[in-house]
Amino acid sequence: MFSLAGKRAVITGGSSGIGLEAARLLVEQGARVLIMGRQRAKLDAALAKLGDGACGVQADVARPEEIAAAMHQVDRQFGGIDILFVNAGISEAPPVATATEAAFDAIMDINVRGVVFTVVHALPRLSVGASIVLTGSVAARKGRPGDPIYAASKGAVRSFGRTLAVDPDILARRIRVNVLTPGATATPLTAAATDDEEVRQYIADMVPMGRWGEAREVAQAVLFLASDASSYVTGAEITVDGGLAHV
């Protein structure tokens, strides 16, 4: 489909869901892929599925020092980065009325701090013509009752990506930056958050296509944005949501 032979890719949150499916697609197209994840067991299980085209580093993106250490491992493994998929995130956030500072910090540390400092530490290693893809959420585009803190965190990612794309330093390096915006997608993360079948059906019924998306369907957009097929695409938001943002 899209040849990525010789390309070097780094994926945060790569041990499950959209990150793992993106890693699988990139490996299939010839890229060498390094995935990052917080849990060693999940990371090892993902690497077993990906085979020889992938390696992994345990790191918590909520801790910038761990991101920095992981990037040194990238140096040893790859010597540079052509594709950076900044995908790690969490979706569990408390209602505003019961939010605590600790709960707020927990989601912002991963969904915002982790995104920003992954880019900060990766930037010196990005090759000319590299592609950065940030994972946003349809929640940042469409008001949804009960989820304003999560939506705010992904709204920050959306704004960061669109503004980063026109940053002079990024332009000087000729790096492309785009935001991937999934809707309701079946992943281990969403399964844990919506373990009630009635809730899952309610969400599916809101989607114009009438179903949840599969992680591989969303990952196909990552493959496009990572490849030279999107060489004139930057500052864009690619929404893969079955039409949910438009209803």
Side-chain angles (χ1 to χ4, degrees):
M1 184 184 292
F2 302 112
S3 175
L4 298 177
K7 297 290 188 180
R8 304 157 297 178
V10 172
I11 300 176
T12 66
S15 57
S16 69
I18 295 168
L20 177 56
E21 289 305 315
R24 198 191 314 267
L25 284 173
L26 298 186
V27 168
E28 288 174 1
Q29 298 305 317
R32 292 183 292 157
V33 178
L34 183 145
I35 61 173
M36 295 186 197
R38 288 187 294 170
Q39 300 177 28
R40 185 77 248 176
K42 289 179 63 177
L43 194 62
D44 290 342
L47 290 171
K49 296 175 183 177
L50 294 172
D52 294 338
C55 58
V57 176
Q58 185 176 4
D60 183 350
V61 298
R63 300 177 179 274
E65 68 276 12
E66 293 192 18
I67 301 173
M71 290 299 171
H72 288 301
Q73 182 66 21
V74 171
D75 292 338
R76 290 189 288 271
Q77 294 282 346
F78 294 167
I81 303 171
D82 303 303
I83 301 160
L84 179 67
F85 182 27
V86 188
N87 172 69
I90 58 175
S91 60
E92 293 183 12
V96 167
T98 58
T100 63
E101 289 185 33
F104 176 85
D105 289 345
I107 194 165
M108 293 297 172
D109 280 350
I110 293 178
N111 288 8
V112 181
R113 181 196 297 267
V115 169
V116 171
F117 282 97
T118 296
V119 172
V120 166
H121 289 297
L123 190 58
R125 298 164 168 90
L126 291 170
S127 63
V128 172
S131 171
I132 299 174
V133 182
L134 311 178
T135 297
S137 170
V138 72
R141 294 188 54 190
K142 179 181 177 65
R144 186 169 66 186
D147 223 3
I149 296 177
Y150 172 70
S153 73
K154 289 300 187 177
V157 173
R158 186 183 189 215
S159 182
F160 178 64
R162 293 167 65 157
T163 307
L164 186 65
V166 296
D167 185 270
D169 191 37
I170 291 291
L171 292 173
R173 295 166 181 260
R174 299 197 295 281
I175 296 167
R176 297 183 296 110
V177 184
N178 295 287
V179 177
L180 169 69
T181 299
T185 308
T187 69
L189 188 69
T190 57
T194 56
D195 58 358
D196 186 301
E197 184 56 36
E198 288 188 9
V199 172
R200 293 183 61 79
Q201 188 58 51
Y202 171 76
I203 293 171
D205 289 343
M206 289 194 298
V207 179
M209 290 187 71
R211 64 176 178 86
W212 287 64
E214 298 296 328
R216 192 172 179 88
E217 292 178 300
V218 179
Q220 295 283 358
V222 180
L223 178 58
F224 168 69
L225 292 172
S227 75
D228 292 340
S230 61
S231 58
Y232 200 51
V233 179
T234 194
E237 182 177 12
I238 306 297
T239 303
V240 187
D241 69 344
L244 181 59
H246 304 292
V247 294

